[in-house]
Amino acid sequence: MSLEAQFNDAAVKVKKLKAMPSNDDLLELYGLFKQATVGDNTTERPGMLDVKGKAKWDSWTSKKGMSKADAQQKYIDKVEALVGSIGLQ
């Protein structure tokens, strides 16, 4: 299976986890997903009242310079680790 197909499969699996991952895990997944699908973050950081938006922005920005393939592989690995610890529905 190609990396792209594995990535798409992982994106489906993450929605079928038995329980909600921790906020840190969710932010890591968000940052890796955005880096894999959009690339480097070029948007402005949200304002100080948007705590959730800033956390997501920071997670994505922390992946700056990571290649699409690396981001996809790290996303796949993270989802597989979560499936192993949480399980699927």
Side-chain angles (χ1 to χ4, degrees):
M1 189 180 324
S2 73
L3 184 62
E4 191 77 30
Q6 290 178 45
F7 176 76
N8 291 332
D9 186 50
V12 171
K13 277 185 186 176
V14 79
K15 294 176 184 171
K16 296 179 180 179
L17 292 171
K18 280 185 182 177
M20 182 71 78
S22 71
N23 282 341
D24 289 341
D25 287 336
L26 288 173
L27 285 171
E28 180 71 10
L29 288 170
Y30 176 83
L32 290 169
F33 186 85
K34 291 294 277 187
Q35 188 67 24
T37 57
V38 178
D40 288 345
N41 186 358
T42 59
T43 63
E44 282 190 33
R45 190 168 194 248
M48 68 184 230
L49 298 178
D50 186 359
V51 176
K52 185 176 179 180
K54 283 194 310 187
K56 291 167 75 174
W57 187 93
D58 289 343
S59 178
W60 181 13
T61 300
S62 73
K63 312 295 183 252
K64 189 172 186 171
M66 184 183 291
S67 72
K68 176 180 179 176
D70 284 347
Q72 286 179 328
Q73 187 59 57
K74 288 182 187 297
Y75 183 86
I76 293 164
D77 295 343
K78 183 69 175 177
V79 170
E80 289 305 318
L82 289 171
V83 167
S85 65
I86 297 174
L88 294 174
Q89 292 179 348

